[in-house]
Amino acid sequence: MQTKEKDSTTRQQTDWANVKAQFNLSKEYIHLASSQFIASHPKPVRKTIARHRRALNQNPVQYTEEYEDQFMQEAREAAARYLGHPEPNDIALTDSTTMGLGTIYSGFKLQKHHEILTTEHDHYSHHEAIRMATHRAGATFRRVPMYQKLQEVTQEEMVAAVVQGISEQTRIVGITWVHSSTGLKTPVPQIAQAIARLNQHRDEENKVLLLIDGVHGFGIELETFEELGCDYFISGCHKWLYGPRGTGLIAATSAAWQHVLPLIPSFTDVMDRVIAEENRPERMDGKQMTPGGFHSLENRWALASAFRFIEAIGKEQVYERVHALNRLCKEGMAAMPHVTLHTPLDDALSAGIIAFEVEGMETEDVVKRLLEKKIVCTAAPYLTSYARFTPGIYNTPEEVTKVLEAVNSLKA
């Protein structure tokens, strides 16, 4: 997907027209929503799904029995490679971010004296997974604000807010990498480092574990699992990765896996050991934490294709493209007197989501008016709801310019 360098000083250029052509998105609309909602599949992913579907329809039993373990392991290996995780078997495969959050929080060996700390800004699924898990265990949870004024937020303020919120009872800190409500990107590595310093003064059984809902940074940002420094990283793969719908993952350290138990029996090799009345593995890992049962197999088995697609473009190229399109869009709206931009302009504090309001208009009306202009965006599912744009790799600067013209025309 890349062309040769024009000269020794010109960086290798990505053929973004070719990238856009990989998607079957309707040309009638400018699509500025699906990356943060549910993505269109690029051609390589569609082809792999179709190949598996044909084989399953032709001979489902033989194809599954012969290849299931191989294809599942290929997905784990691709995810580990993309994340920079050293051990593919420490990757659990799920259907979504929501399933991943429920799997970890409800599978965690919570005690009644334990507390889970989260923030006021996290998604419904994150808050509910915590509430249900603590309710069942008789444990507690708290939510803290990460900032006082979004327009003045700094990385230092967010780190301090999380660390100051940790109590003696806190066992897990659960935060979101990029807030879907406002597009704010949290400084995960800095928070992880601060928690690590705090843990130096705690015994092993009371160390604070860091869990990240990473779905709106995953597929855009450059940090590896090790660089993020978290214990659990949870993400769907059908948003910014443009992976098969109904796929997701949990990446964790080997040590972190020892604090959880499976909620759903695994269909991995541990199943064979149990049936043969052999001892279960002594240590937990991502394979054992992968919920069993029959899923959308052709989609899950095609997950490796999504990672290869992004890697073929280049992680740095994707990062730079998404951030460049978002800067163009944010700077344009920030100059409009009738628009309130709620996403920071700084790349260090934002990724691919842009949240905004139009003076004198309800958010739902903004979304409706833009749809009439053939621009697809969404309203954030929060008590305070903003309209959201998500310029991604299949968008162009020309499309962003048209969108800015449309927003500029929305005057009550």
Side-chain angles (χ1 to χ4, degrees):
M1 296 191 182
Q2 297 173 342
T3 59
K4 293 182 180 179
E5 292 184 345
K6 293 180 180 179
D7 57 54
S8 59
T9 61
T10 302
R11 184 168 181 176
Q12 196 173 36
Q13 297 297 308
T14 302
D15 184 353
W16 291 110
N18 183 43
V19 171
K20 184 178 180 67
Q22 303 303 306
F23 294 88
N24 273 348
L25 289 160
S26 167
K27 293 180 174 58
E28 185 181 356
Y29 295 90
I30 296 176
H31 298 270
L32 287 175
S34 57
S35 295
Q36 58 80 29
F37 190 69
I38 187 164
S40 173
H41 296 156
K43 185 176 181 179
V45 174
R46 295 197 306 272
K47 288 179 66 175
T48 306
I49 292 172
R51 173 167 56 83
H52 289 314
R53 183 173 294 143
R54 283 194 302 271
L56 283 167
N57 285 329
Q58 289 168 358
N59 203 333
V61 175
Q62 276 190 304
Y63 192 66
T64 301
E65 289 186 344
E66 184 171 357
Y67 293 111
E68 180 175 21
D69 289 345
Q70 174 187 329
F71 295 149
M72 292 278 278
Q73 195 63 15
E74 287 177 1
R76 290 188 196 93
E77 290 172 355
R81 183 181 66 246
Y82 181 85
L83 277 167
H85 197 299
E87 179 47 67
N89 287 348
D90 280 335
I91 305 288
L93 300 178
T94 68
D95 293 355
S96 63
T97 309
T98 299
M99 179 185 282
L101 292 167
T103 296
I104 295 300
Y105 282 122
S106 293
F108 195 84
K109 300 172 188 176
L110 279 174
Q111 309 277 325
K112 286 188 176 181
H113 64 277
H114 285 158
E115 171 191 82
I116 297 176
L117 179 70
T118 187
T119 81
E120 294 178 352
H121 321 290
D122 294 86
H123 190 269
Y124 156 85
S125 294
H126 202 154
H127 284 162
E128 280 294 282
I130 291 172
R131 185 191 65 80
M132 291 187 288
T134 52
H135 177 74
R136 280 190 289 267
T140 59
F141 70 89
R142 283 186 299 118
R143 301 174 186 170
V144 296
M146 294 189 82
Y147 51 83
Q148 294 303 311
K149 294 182 179 180
L150 182 57
Q151 295 77 10
E152 301 173 5
V153 66
T154 65
Q155 291 184 335
E156 292 76 14
E157 180 185 16
M158 288 187 276
V159 174
V162 172
V163 173
Q164 290 168 11
I166 295 173
S167 72
E168 288 297 320
Q169 290 72 43
T170 304
R171 192 70 174 94
I172 307 175
V173 170
I175 61 174
T176 296
W177 195 1
V178 178
H179 294 169
S180 62
S181 53
T182 62
L184 174 67
K185 181 169 65 178
T186 62
V188 172
Q190 293 91 323
I191 291 171
Q193 291 161 14
I195 291 175
R197 290 191 293 270
L198 182 152
N199 279 336
Q200 292 175 359
H201 306 288
R202 294 195 174 203
D203 58 51
E204 196 61 35
E205 290 305 309
N206 289 310
K207 289 187 185 302
V208 178
L209 299 173
L210 178 60
L211 181 150
I212 302 299
D213 171 349
V215 69
H216 289 299
F218 191 55
I220 301 174
E221 302 300 304
L222 297 174
E223 287 87 352
T224 65
F225 178 76
E226 183 178 6
E227 289 167 344
L228 287 169
C230 56
D231 297 283
Y232 304 99
F233 180 89
I234 298 171
S235 180
C237 297
H238 45 234
K239 294 185 186 292
W240 296 94
L241 190 75
Y242 307 100
R245 290 181 281 273
T247 58
L249 59 80
I250 308 166
T253 65
S254 178
W257 281 127
Q258 309 320 308
H259 296 289
V260 294
L261 292 171
L263 292 176
I264 299 172
S266 169
F267 272 18
T268 53
D269 47 10
V270 69
M271 172 182 171
D272 299 327
R273 294 176 65 163
V274 172
I275 291 172
E277 298 184 344
E278 298 175 358
N279 291 332
R280 288 176 168 83
E282 292 183 3
R283 292 181 64 81
M284 189 58 60
D285 63 12
K287 291 181 71 174
Q288 297 172 72
M289 286 296 294
T290 296
F294 288 103
H295 304 263
S296 301
L297 297 178
E298 59 267 47
N299 281 23
R300 183 169 285 190
W301 295 346
L303 183 54
S305 291
F307 287 108
R308 288 194 293 268
F309 174 73
I310 294 296
E311 288 167 335
I313 301 170
K315 288 181 71 173
E316 289 190 4
Q317 285 79 2
V318 169
Y319 172 91
E320 291 173 2
R321 178 69 168 186
V322 173
H323 278 268
L325 291 173
N326 276 263
R327 279 196 303 275
L328 177 64
C329 193
K330 287 185 292 186
E331 289 170 0
M333 288 198 292
M336 299 178 190
H338 68 299
V339 172
T340 301
L341 183 66
H342 292 285
T343 305
L345 290 169
D346 189 348
D347 283 1
L349 294 170
S350 60
I353 296 176
I354 301 170
F356 66 97
E357 290 179 285
V358 176
E359 185 179 4
M361 295 182 66
E362 297 292 329
T363 295
E364 293 291 345
D365 292 332
V366 172
V367 173
K368 182 179 178 181
R369 288 277 299 277
L370 288 171
L371 187 60
E372 291 171 354
K373 297 175 182 292
K374 304 300 183 182
I375 297 167
V376 182
C377 68
T378 59
Y382 293 84
L383 184 61
T384 301
S385 177
Y386 303 130
R388 297 177 298 181
F389 288 148
T390 57
I393 59 173
Y394 48 63
N395 294 119
T396 67
E398 293 75 20
E399 287 179 331
V400 171
T401 298
K402 291 180 181 178
V403 167
L404 290 173
E405 292 171 354
V407 173
N408 197 41
S409 71
L410 296 180
K411 296 177 181 177

